[in-house]
Coordinates of all heavy atoms in Angstrom, one line a residue:
M1 N 0.3 -6.3 8.3 CA 1.0 -7.3 7.6 C 1.8 -6.7 6.5 O 1.3 -5.7 5.9 CB -0.1 -8.3 7.0 CG 0.5 -9.4 6.2 SD 1.6 -10.6 7.2 CE 0.5 -11.1 8.4
R2 N 2.9 -7.2 6.3 CA 3.9 -6.7 5.3 C 4.6 -7.8 4.6 O 5.1 -8.7 5.2 CB 4.9 -5.9 6.0 CG 5.9 -5.2 5.3 CD 6.8 -4.3 6.1 NE 8.1 -3.9 5.5 CZ 9.2 -3.6 6.1 NH1 9.3 -3.6 7.4 NH2 10.1 -3.2 5.4
V3 N 4.6 -7.8 3.3 CA 5.3 -8.8 2.4 C 6.3 -8.1 1.8 O 6.1 -7.1 1.0 CB 4.2 -9.6 1.5 CG1 5.1 -10.5 0.7 CG2 3.2 -10.2 2.2
V4 N 7.5 -8.6 1.9 CA 8.8 -7.9 1.3 C 9.5 -9.0 0.4 O 9.7 -10.1 0.8 CB 9.7 -7.4 2.4 CG1 10.9 -6.8 1.8 CG2 9.0 -6.5 3.3
I5 N 10.0 -8.6 -0.8 CA 10.9 -9.4 -1.6 C 12.2 -8.7 -1.7 O 12.3 -7.6 -2.0 CB 10.3 -9.8 -2.9 CG1 11.2 -10.8 -3.7 CG2 10.0 -8.5 -3.7 CD1 10.6 -11.5 -4.8
V6 N 13.3 -9.5 -1.3 CA 14.7 -8.9 -1.3 C 15.2 -9.5 -2.5 O 15.4 -10.7 -2.7 CB 15.4 -9.3 0.0 CG1 16.8 -8.7 0.0 CG2 14.7 -8.9 1.2
W7 N 15.7 -8.7 -3.5 CA 16.3 -9.1 -4.7 C 17.1 -8.0 -5.4 O 16.9 -6.8 -5.0 CB 15.2 -9.6 -5.7 CG 14.2 -8.5 -6.2 CD1 13.3 -8.0 -5.4 CD2 14.1 -8.1 -7.4 NE1 12.6 -7.0 -6.2 CE2 13.1 -7.1 -7.5 CE3 14.7 -8.3 -8.6 CZ2 12.7 -6.4 -8.6 CZ3 14.3 -7.6 -9.8 CH2 13.3 -6.7 -9.8
R8 N 18.0 -8.4 -6.4 CA 18.8 -7.5 -7.1 C 18.2 -7.5 -8.5 O 18.0 -8.4 -9.2 CB 20.2 -7.9 -7.1 CG 20.9 -7.9 -5.9 CD 22.4 -8.2 -6.0 NE 23.2 -8.0 -4.8 CZ 23.4 -8.9 -3.9 NH1 23.1 -10.1 -4.1 NH2 24.1 -8.5 -2.8
E9 N 18.1 -6.1 -9.0 CA 17.6 -5.9 -10.4 C 18.5 -6.5 -11.4 O 18.1 -7.0 -12.4 CB 17.4 -4.3 -10.5 CG 16.8 -4.0 -11.9 CD 15.4 -4.4 -12.1 OE1 14.6 -4.4 -11.2 OE2 15.1 -4.8 -13.3
E10 N 19.9 -6.3 -11.1 CA 20.8 -6.8 -12.1 C 21.3 -8.2 -11.7 O 22.3 -8.4 -11.1 CB 22.0 -5.9 -12.2 CG 21.7 -4.6 -12.9 CD 21.1 -3.6 -11.8 OE1 21.3 -3.7 -10.6 OE2 20.4 -2.7 -12.2
S11 N 20.5 -9.2 -12.1 CA 20.7 -10.6 -11.7 C 20.2 -11.5 -12.7 O 19.4 -11.1 -13.6 CB 20.2 -10.9 -10.3 OG 18.7 -10.7 -10.4
D12 N 20.6 -12.9 -12.6 CA 20.1 -13.8 -13.5 C 18.6 -14.1 -13.3 O 17.9 -14.5 -14.2 CB 20.8 -15.1 -13.3 CG 22.3 -15.0 -13.7 OD1 22.6 -14.1 -14.5 OD2 23.2 -15.9 -13.3
Y13 N 18.1 -13.8 -12.1 CA 16.8 -14.2 -11.7 C 15.8 -13.0 -11.8 O 14.6 -13.1 -11.4 CB 16.6 -14.8 -10.3 CG 17.3 -13.9 -9.3 CD1 16.6 -12.8 -8.8 CD2 18.5 -14.1 -8.8 CE1 17.1 -11.9 -7.9 CE2 19.1 -13.3 -7.9 CZ 18.4 -12.2 -7.3 OH 19.0 -11.3 -6.5
A14 N 16.2 -11.8 -12.3 CA 15.5 -10.7 -12.2 C 14.2 -10.7 -13.0 O 13.1 -10.2 -12.5 CB 16.3 -9.5 -12.8
R15 N 14.2 -11.3 -14.1 CA 13.0 -11.4 -15.0 C 11.9 -12.2 -14.3 O 10.7 -11.9 -14.2 CB 13.3 -12.1 -16.3 CG 12.0 -12.0 -17.3 CD 12.4 -12.6 -18.5 NE 11.1 -12.8 -19.2 CZ 10.8 -12.2 -20.4 NH1 11.6 -11.3 -20.9 NH2 9.7 -12.4 -21.0
E16 N 12.4 -13.4 -13.7 CA 11.4 -14.2 -12.9 C 10.9 -13.5 -11.8 O 9.5 -13.6 -11.5 CB 12.2 -15.4 -12.4 CG 11.3 -16.5 -11.7 CD 12.1 -17.7 -11.1 OE1 13.3 -17.8 -11.4 OE2 11.4 -18.4 -10.4
V17 N 11.6 -12.6 -11.1 CA 11.0 -11.9 -9.9 C 10.1 -10.9 -10.4 O 9.0 -10.7 -9.9 CB 12.1 -11.3 -9.2 CG1 11.6 -10.3 -8.1 CG2 13.0 -12.4 -8.4
R18 N 10.4 -10.0 -11.4 CA 9.5 -9.1 -11.9 C 8.2 -9.7 -12.3 O 7.1 -9.2 -12.1 CB 10.2 -8.3 -13.1 CG 11.2 -7.3 -12.6 CD 11.6 -6.4 -13.9 NE 12.2 -7.0 -15.0 CZ 13.5 -7.4 -15.1 NH1 14.3 -7.0 -14.2 NH2 13.9 -8.1 -16.1
D19 N 8.2 -10.7 -13.1 CA 7.0 -11.5 -13.5 C 6.2 -12.0 -12.4 O 4.9 -11.8 -12.3 CB 7.4 -12.6 -14.5 CG 8.0 -12.2 -15.8 OD1 7.8 -11.0 -16.1 OD2 8.6 -13.1 -16.6
W20 N 6.8 -12.5 -11.3 CA 6.2 -13.1 -10.2 C 5.5 -11.8 -9.3 O 4.3 -12.0 -9.0 CB 7.1 -13.8 -9.2 CG 6.4 -14.5 -8.1 CD1 6.0 -15.8 -8.1 CD2 6.0 -14.0 -6.9 NE1 5.4 -16.1 -7.0 CE2 5.5 -15.0 -6.2 CE3 6.2 -12.7 -6.3 CZ2 5.0 -14.8 -4.9 CZ3 5.8 -12.6 -5.0 CH2 5.1 -13.6 -4.2
I21 N 6.2 -10.7 -9.3 CA 5.6 -9.5 -8.5 C 4.4 -9.1 -9.3 O 3.3 -8.8 -8.7 CB 6.7 -8.5 -8.4 CG1 7.7 -8.9 -7.3 CG2 6.0 -7.1 -8.0 CD1 9.0 -8.0 -7.3
R22 N 4.6 -8.9 -10.7 CA 3.4 -8.4 -11.5 C 2.2 -9.4 -11.4 O 1.1 -9.0 -11.1 CB 3.9 -8.4 -12.9 CG 2.8 -7.8 -13.8 CD 3.0 -8.1 -15.4 NE 3.0 -9.6 -15.5 CZ 3.9 -10.3 -16.1 NH1 5.0 -9.7 -16.5 NH2 3.9 -11.6 -16.2
D23 N 2.5 -10.7 -11.4 CA 1.4 -11.7 -11.4 C 0.8 -11.6 -10.1 O -0.5 -11.7 -9.9 CB 2.0 -13.1 -11.7 CG 2.3 -13.2 -13.1 OD1 1.9 -12.4 -13.9 OD2 2.9 -14.3 -13.5
F24 N 1.6 -11.5 -8.9 CA 1.1 -11.5 -7.6 C 0.1 -10.2 -7.4 O -1.0 -10.4 -6.9 CB 2.1 -11.4 -6.5 CG 1.7 -11.4 -5.1 CD1 1.5 -12.7 -4.4 CD2 1.5 -10.3 -4.5 CE1 1.0 -12.7 -3.1 CE2 1.0 -10.2 -3.1 CZ 0.8 -11.5 -2.5
E25 N 0.6 -9.1 -7.8 CA -0.2 -7.9 -7.6 C -1.4 -7.9 -8.5 O -2.4 -7.5 -8.0 CB 0.7 -6.7 -7.9 CG 1.8 -6.4 -6.8 CD 2.7 -5.4 -7.0 OE1 2.6 -4.7 -8.2 OE2 3.6 -5.1 -6.2
N26 N -1.4 -8.4 -9.7 CA -2.6 -8.5 -10.5 C -3.6 -9.5 -9.9 O -4.7 -9.3 -10.0 CB -2.2 -9.0 -11.9 CG -1.5 -7.8 -12.8 OD1 -1.7 -6.7 -12.4 ND2 -0.8 -8.2 -13.7
R27 N -3.1 -10.5 -9.4 CA -4.0 -11.6 -8.8 C -4.6 -11.2 -7.5 O -5.7 -11.6 -7.2 CB -3.2 -12.9 -8.7 CG -4.1 -14.1 -8.5 CD -3.2 -15.4 -8.7 NE -3.9 -16.5 -8.1 CZ -3.3 -17.6 -8.0 NH1 -2.1 -17.8 -8.6 NH2 -3.8 -18.6 -7.3
T28 N -3.8 -10.6 -6.6 CA -4.3 -10.3 -5.2 C -4.8 -8.9 -5.0 O -5.4 -8.6 -4.0 CB -3.2 -10.7 -4.3 OG1 -2.1 -9.8 -4.4 CG2 -2.8 -12.2 -4.4
G29 N -4.2 -8.0 -5.8 CA -4.4 -6.6 -5.6 C -3.7 -6.0 -4.5 O -3.9 -4.8 -4.0
V30 N -2.7 -6.7 -4.0 CA -1.8 -6.4 -2.9 C -0.4 -6.1 -3.5 O 0.1 -6.8 -4.2 CB -1.7 -7.4 -1.8 CG1 -0.6 -7.0 -0.7 CG2 -3.0 -7.7 -1.2
A31 N 0.2 -4.9 -3.1 CA 1.6 -4.6 -3.6 C 2.6 -5.2 -2.7 O 2.4 -5.4 -1.5 CB 1.7 -3.1 -3.5
I32 N 3.7 -5.7 -3.4 CA 4.7 -6.3 -2.7 C 5.8 -5.3 -2.6 O 6.1 -4.6 -3.5 CB 5.4 -7.5 -3.5 CG1 4.3 -8.6 -3.6 CG2 6.6 -8.1 -3.0 CD1 4.3 -9.5 -2.5
E33 N 6.4 -5.1 -1.3 CA 7.5 -4.2 -1.3 C 8.8 -4.8 -1.7 O 9.2 -5.9 -1.2 CB 7.6 -3.8 0.3 CG 8.7 -2.8 0.6 CD 8.8 -2.5 2.1 OE1 7.8 -2.9 2.8 OE2 9.8 -2.0 2.5
S34 N 9.4 -4.1 -2.6 CA 10.8 -4.7 -3.2 C 11.9 -4.0 -2.4 O 11.8 -2.7 -2.3 CB 11.0 -4.3 -4.7 OG 10.1 -5.2 -5.4
V35 N 12.9 -4.8 -2.1 CA 14.0 -4.3 -1.3 C 15.3 -4.7 -2.1 O 15.5 -5.8 -2.3 CB 14.0 -4.6 0.2 CG1 15.3 -4.3 0.9 CG2 12.8 -4.1 0.8
N36 N 16.2 -3.7 -2.3 CA 17.6 -4.0 -2.8 C 18.5 -4.3 -1.7 O 18.6 -3.4 -0.7 CB 18.0 -2.9 -3.7 CG 19.4 -3.1 -4.3 OD1 20.2 -3.8 -3.8 ND2 19.6 -2.4 -5.4
P37 N 19.1 -5.4 -1.6 CA 20.0 -5.8 -0.4 C 21.3 -5.0 -0.4 O 22.0 -5.0 0.6 CB 20.3 -7.3 -0.6 CG 20.1 -7.5 -2.1 CD 19.0 -6.6 -2.6
D38 N 21.6 -4.2 -1.4 CA 22.7 -3.3 -1.4 C 22.5 -1.9 -1.0 O 23.5 -1.2 -0.8 CB 23.3 -3.4 -2.8 CG 23.7 -4.8 -3.3 OD1 24.2 -5.5 -2.4 OD2 23.4 -5.1 -4.5
E39 N 21.3 -1.5 -0.7 CA 21.0 -0.2 -0.3 C 20.9 -0.2 1.3 O 20.7 -1.3 2.0 CB 19.7 0.4 -0.7 CG 19.7 0.5 -2.2 CD 18.3 0.9 -2.8 OE1 17.3 0.9 -2.0 OE2 18.2 1.3 -4.0
P40 N 21.1 0.9 2.0 CA 21.3 0.9 3.5 C 20.1 0.2 4.1 O 20.2 -0.5 5.1 CB 21.4 2.4 3.8 CG 22.0 3.0 2.6 CD 21.4 2.2 1.3
S41 N 18.8 0.6 3.7 CA 17.6 0.0 4.2 C 17.6 -1.5 4.0 O 17.2 -2.3 4.9 CB 16.4 0.7 3.8 OG 16.2 0.4 2.4
G42 N 18.0 -2.0 2.9 CA 18.1 -3.4 2.5 C 19.1 -4.1 3.4 O 18.9 -5.2 3.8
I43 N 20.3 -3.5 3.7 CA 21.3 -4.2 4.4 C 20.8 -4.3 5.8 O 21.0 -5.5 6.3 CB 22.6 -3.2 4.3 CG1 23.2 -3.2 3.0 CG2 23.6 -3.7 5.4 CD1 24.4 -2.1 2.8
S44 N 20.1 -3.3 6.3 CA 19.7 -3.5 7.8 C 18.5 -4.6 7.8 O 18.5 -5.4 8.7 CB 19.1 -2.2 8.4 OG 18.0 -1.7 7.7
L45 N 17.7 -4.6 6.8 CA 16.7 -5.7 6.8 C 17.2 -7.0 6.7 O 16.8 -8.1 7.3 CB 15.6 -5.3 5.6 CG 14.6 -6.4 5.5 CD1 13.2 -5.6 5.9 CD2 14.4 -6.9 4.2
C46 N 18.2 -7.2 5.9 CA 18.9 -8.5 5.7 C 19.6 -9.0 7.0 O 19.5 -10.2 7.3 CB 19.9 -8.5 4.6 SG 19.2 -8.4 2.9
K47 N 20.2 -8.0 7.6 CA 20.9 -8.3 9.0 C 19.8 -8.8 10.0 O 19.9 -9.7 10.7 CB 21.7 -7.2 9.4 CG 23.0 -7.0 8.7 CD 23.8 -6.0 9.3 CE 25.0 -5.8 8.5 NZ 25.7 -4.6 9.0
A48 N 18.7 -8.0 10.0 CA 17.6 -8.2 11.0 C 17.0 -9.6 11.0 O 16.7 -10.2 11.9 CB 16.6 -7.1 11.0
Y49 N 16.8 -10.1 9.5 CA 16.0 -11.2 9.4 C 16.9 -12.3 8.8 O 16.4 -13.4 8.4 CB 14.9 -11.0 8.4 CG 13.9 -10.1 9.1 CD1 13.8 -8.7 8.7 CD2 13.0 -10.6 10.1 CE1 12.9 -7.8 9.3 CE2 12.0 -9.7 10.7 CZ 12.0 -8.4 10.3 OH 11.1 -7.5 10.9
D50 N 18.2 -12.2 8.9 CA 19.2 -13.2 8.4 C 19.0 -13.6 6.9 O 19.0 -14.9 6.7 CB 19.2 -14.4 9.3 CG 20.4 -15.2 9.2 OD1 21.5 -14.7 8.8 OD2 20.3 -16.5 9.4
V51 N 18.8 -12.7 6.1 CA 18.6 -13.0 4.7 C 20.0 -13.1 4.0 O 20.8 -12.2 4.1 CB 17.8 -11.9 4.0 CG1 17.7 -12.1 2.5 CG2 16.5 -11.7 4.6
V52 N 20.3 -14.3 3.5 CA 21.6 -14.5 2.9 C 21.5 -15.1 1.5 O 22.6 -15.3 0.8 CB 22.4 -15.5 3.8 CG1 22.7 -14.9 5.1 CG2 21.6 -16.8 4.0
Q53 N 20.3 -15.2 1.0 CA 20.1 -15.8 -0.4 C 19.0 -14.9 -1.0 O 18.1 -14.5 -0.4 CB 19.7 -17.2 -0.3 CG 19.5 -17.9 -1.7 CD 19.0 -19.3 -1.5 OE1 18.7 -19.8 -0.5 NE2 18.9 -20.0 -2.6
Y54 N 19.3 -14.7 -2.3 CA 18.4 -13.9 -3.1 C 17.8 -14.6 -4.3 O 18.6 -15.3 -4.9 CB 19.0 -12.6 -3.5 CG 19.8 -11.9 -2.4 CD1 21.2 -11.8 -2.4 CD2 19.1 -11.3 -1.3 CE1 21.9 -11.3 -1.3 CE2 19.8 -10.6 -0.3 CZ 21.1 -10.8 -0.3 OH 21.9 -10.1 0.8
P55 N 16.6 -14.4 -4.7 CA 15.6 -13.6 -3.9 C 15.1 -14.3 -2.6 O 15.1 -15.5 -2.6 CB 14.5 -13.5 -5.0 CG 14.5 -14.8 -5.8 CD 16.0 -15.1 -5.9
T56 N 14.6 -13.5 -1.8 CA 13.9 -13.9 -0.5 C 12.7 -13.2 -0.4 O 12.7 -12.0 -0.5 CB 14.9 -13.8 0.7 OG1 16.0 -14.7 0.6 CG2 14.1 -14.1 2.0
I57 N 11.6 -13.8 0.0 CA 10.3 -13.3 0.3 C 10.1 -13.5 1.8 O 10.2 -14.5 2.4 CB 9.2 -14.0 -0.5 CG1 9.4 -13.8 -2.1 CG2 7.8 -13.3 -0.2 CD1 8.5 -14.7 -2.9
L58 N 9.8 -12.3 2.4 CA 9.5 -12.3 3.9 C 8.0 -11.9 4.1 O 7.5 -11.0 3.5 CB 10.3 -11.3 4.6 CG 11.8 -11.6 4.4 CD1 12.6 -10.3 5.0 CD2 12.2 -12.7 5.3
A59 N 7.4 -12.8 5.0 CA 6.0 -12.3 5.5 C 6.3 -11.7 6.9 O 6.7 -12.7 7.8 CB 5.1 -13.4 5.5
L60 N 6.0 -10.5 7.2 CA 6.2 -9.9 8.4 C 5.0 -9.5 9.1 O 4.1 -8.9 8.4 CB 7.2 -8.7 8.3 CG 8.5 -9.0 7.5 CD1 9.2 -7.7 7.3 CD2 9.3 -10.0 8.3
A61 N 4.8 -9.7 10.5 CA 3.6 -9.3 11.3 C 3.8 -7.8 11.4 O 4.9 -7.1 11.2 CB 3.6 -10.0 12.5
N62 N 2.7 -7.1 11.8 CA 2.8 -5.7 12.1 C 3.8 -5.3 13.2 O 4.3 -4.1 13.2 CB 1.4 -5.2 12.5 CG 0.3 -5.3 11.3 OD1 0.8 -5.2 10.1 ND2 -0.8 -5.4 11.6
N63 N 4.1 -6.2 14.1 CA 5.1 -5.9 15.1 C 6.4 -6.1 14.6 O 7.5 -6.0 15.4 CB 4.7 -6.7 16.4 CG 4.9 -8.2 16.2 OD1 5.3 -8.6 15.1 ND2 4.6 -8.9 17.3
G64 N 6.7 -6.6 13.4 CA 8.0 -6.8 12.9 C 8.4 -8.2 13.0 O 9.5 -8.5 12.4
S65 N 7.7 -9.1 13.6 CA 8.2 -10.4 13.7 C 8.0 -11.1 12.3 O 7.1 -10.9 11.6 CB 7.6 -11.2 14.8 OG 6.1 -11.3 14.6
M66 N 9.0 -12.1 12.1 CA 8.9 -12.8 10.9 C 7.9 -14.0 11.0 O 8.0 -14.9 12.0 CB 10.1 -13.4 10.4 CG 10.2 -14.0 9.1 SD 11.8 -14.5 8.5 CE 12.6 -15.4 9.8
L67 N 7.0 -14.1 10.0 CA 6.0 -15.1 10.0 C 6.4 -16.3 9.1 O 6.3 -17.5 9.5 CB 4.7 -14.6 9.6 CG 3.9 -13.5 10.5 CD1 2.8 -13.0 9.8 CD2 3.8 -14.0 11.9
Q68 N 7.1 -16.0 8.0 CA 7.5 -16.9 7.0 C 8.6 -16.4 6.1 O 8.6 -15.2 5.9 CB 6.3 -17.4 6.1 CG 6.5 -18.5 5.2 CD 7.0 -19.9 5.8 OE1 8.2 -20.0 6.1 NE2 6.0 -20.7 6.1
M69 N 9.4 -17.3 5.7 CA 10.4 -16.9 4.7 C 10.5 -17.9 3.6 O 10.6 -19.1 3.9 CB 11.8 -16.8 5.5 CG 13.0 -16.5 4.5 SD 14.6 -16.5 5.3 CE 14.5 -15.1 6.5
W70 N 10.6 -17.4 2.4 CA 10.9 -18.3 1.2 C 12.1 -17.9 0.6 O 12.3 -16.6 0.3 CB 9.8 -18.2 0.2 CG 8.4 -18.7 0.8 CD1 7.9 -19.9 0.8 CD2 7.4 -17.9 1.3 NE1 6.7 -19.9 1.4 CE2 6.3 -18.7 1.8 CE3 7.3 -16.5 1.7 CZ2 5.3 -18.2 2.4 CZ3 6.2 -16.0 2.3 CH2 5.2 -16.8 2.6
R71 N 13.1 -18.7 0.2 CA 14.5 -18.4 -0.2 C 14.7 -19.0 -1.6 O 14.2 -20.1 -1.9 CB 15.6 -18.9 0.7 CG 15.6 -18.3 2.0 CD 16.7 -18.8 2.8 NE 16.7 -18.0 4.1 CZ 17.4 -18.4 5.2 NH1 18.2 -19.5 5.0 NH2 17.4 -17.7 6.3
G72 N 15.3 -18.2 -2.4 CA 15.8 -18.7 -3.8 C 14.7 -19.0 -4.7 O 13.6 -18.6 -4.6
T73 N 15.2 -19.5 -5.9 CA 14.3 -19.9 -7.0 C 14.2 -21.3 -7.2 O 15.2 -22.0 -6.6 CB 14.8 -19.3 -8.3 OG1 16.1 -19.7 -8.5 CG2 14.8 -17.7 -8.3
P74 N 13.2 -21.9 -7.7 CA 12.0 -21.2 -8.2 C 11.3 -20.4 -7.0 O 11.2 -21.0 -5.9 CB 11.2 -22.1 -8.8 CG 11.5 -23.5 -8.1 CD 13.0 -23.4 -7.8
L75 N 10.6 -19.4 -7.3 CA 9.8 -18.6 -6.3 C 8.6 -19.5 -5.9 O 8.1 -20.2 -6.7 CB 9.3 -17.3 -6.9 CG 10.5 -16.3 -7.2 CD1 10.0 -15.1 -7.9 CD2 11.1 -15.8 -5.8
T76 N 8.2 -19.3 -4.6 CA 7.0 -19.9 -4.1 C 5.8 -19.6 -4.8 O 5.7 -18.7 -5.5 CB 7.0 -19.7 -2.7 OG1 6.0 -20.6 -2.0 CG2 6.6 -18.3 -2.3
S77 N 4.7 -20.4 -4.6 CA 3.5 -20.0 -5.3 C 2.9 -18.8 -4.8 O 3.0 -18.4 -3.6 CB 2.5 -21.2 -5.0 OG 2.0 -21.2 -3.7
I78 N 2.1 -18.1 -5.5 CA 1.4 -17.0 -5.1 C 0.4 -17.2 -4.1 O 0.4 -16.4 -3.1 CB 0.7 -16.3 -6.3 CG1 1.8 -15.8 -7.4 CG2 -0.3 -15.2 -6.0 CD1 1.1 -15.2 -8.7
D79 N -0.2 -18.3 -4.0 CA -1.1 -18.7 -3.0 C -0.6 -18.8 -1.6 O -1.1 -18.3 -0.6 CB -1.9 -20.0 -3.3 CG -2.9 -19.8 -4.5 OD1 -3.3 -18.7 -4.7 OD2 -3.2 -20.8 -5.1
S80 N 0.8 -19.3 -1.6 CA 1.5 -19.3 -0.3 C 1.7 -18.0 0.3 O 1.6 -17.9 1.5 CB 2.8 -20.1 -0.6 OG 2.7 -21.4 -1.0
V81 N 2.1 -17.1 -0.5 CA 2.3 -15.7 0.0 C 1.1 -15.0 0.2 O 0.9 -14.2 1.3 CB 3.3 -15.0 -0.9 CG1 3.6 -13.6 -0.4 CG2 4.6 -15.7 -1.1
A82 N 0.1 -15.1 -0.7 CA -1.1 -14.4 -0.5 C -1.8 -14.6 0.8 O -2.6 -13.7 1.4 CB -2.1 -14.7 -1.7
Y83 N -1.7 -15.9 1.4 CA -2.3 -16.2 2.6 C -1.9 -15.2 3.6 O -2.7 -14.7 4.6 CB -1.9 -17.6 3.1 CG -2.1 -17.9 4.5 CD1 -3.6 -18.2 4.9 CD2 -1.2 -17.9 5.5 CE1 -3.8 -18.5 6.3 CE2 -1.6 -18.2 6.8 CZ -2.8 -18.4 7.1 OH -3.2 -18.7 8.4
Y84 N -0.7 -14.7 3.7 CA -0.2 -13.9 4.7 C -0.6 -12.3 4.6 O -0.4 -11.6 5.3 CB 1.4 -13.9 4.8 CG 1.9 -15.2 5.3 CD1 2.1 -16.3 4.5 CD2 1.9 -15.4 6.8 CE1 2.6 -17.5 5.0 CE2 2.3 -16.7 7.3 CZ 2.6 -17.7 6.4 OH 3.0 -18.9 6.9
T85 N -1.2 -12.1 3.4 CA -1.6 -10.8 3.3 C -3.1 -10.6 3.7 O -3.6 -9.5 3.8 CB -1.7 -10.4 1.7 OG1 -2.5 -11.2 1.0 CG2 -0.3 -10.5 1.1
T86 N -3.7 -11.7 4.2 CA -5.1 -11.7 4.5 C -5.3 -11.8 6.2 O -6.3 -11.8 6.6 CB -5.9 -12.8 3.9 OG1 -5.4 -14.0 4.1 CG2 -6.0 -12.6 2.4
I87 N -4.1 -12.1 6.7 CA -4.1 -12.3 8.1 C -4.3 -11.0 8.9 O -3.7 -10.0 8.6 CB -2.8 -13.0 8.7 CG1 -2.7 -14.4 8.1 CG2 -2.7 -13.0 10.2 CD1 -1.3 -15.1 8.5

């Protein structure tokens, strides 16, 4: 299981995302993978999963299939995402 958040550090929503990531990791003990959509790996991830809005949180299965996607702000609840870290 893999949880990824696609976002830009230099953005209006950056503080909200940083706070959400910190709270998520403190509450669940699970690290969220951050991806910049402007880097090569981020560009390919965005194309593969049709990410067109930032921030976007993806829950991905071990085989790479997308289980859930949350787009934009306000960010979804920590519990909604934490569920996918326990599957």
Side-chain angles (χ1 to χ4, degrees):
M1 180 63 56
R2 179 176 168 206
V3 177
V4 179
I5 186 164
V6 183
W7 65 293
R8 289 186 173 101
E9 182 69 36
E10 293 79 27
S11 63
D12 295 338
Y13 55 79
R15 182 182 174 116
E16 180 181 356
V17 171
R18 281 191 301 272
D19 291 346
W20 190 92
I21 290 170
R22 183 198 63 233
D23 293 345
F24 183 89
E25 291 177 354
N26 286 339
R27 190 165 161 190
T28 65
V30 176
I32 296 280
E33 181 181 343
S34 288
V35 174
N36 181 333
D38 299 322
E39 294 178 353
S41 61
I43 291 169
S44 62
L45 182 110
C46 290
K47 285 181 182 177
Y49 296 104
D50 195 29
V51 175
V52 294
Q53 183 179 4
Y54 312 110
T56 293
I57 302 171
L58 300 168
L60 306 173
N62 292 334
N63 65 4
S65 64
M66 182 173 49
L67 301 174
Q68 183 64 274
M69 176 188 291
W70 298 270
R71 294 179 177 171
T73 57
L75 293 168
T76 191
S77 72
I78 289 172
D79 291 334
S80 296
V81 179
Y83 168 79
Y84 290 94
T85 64
T86 60
I87 295 177

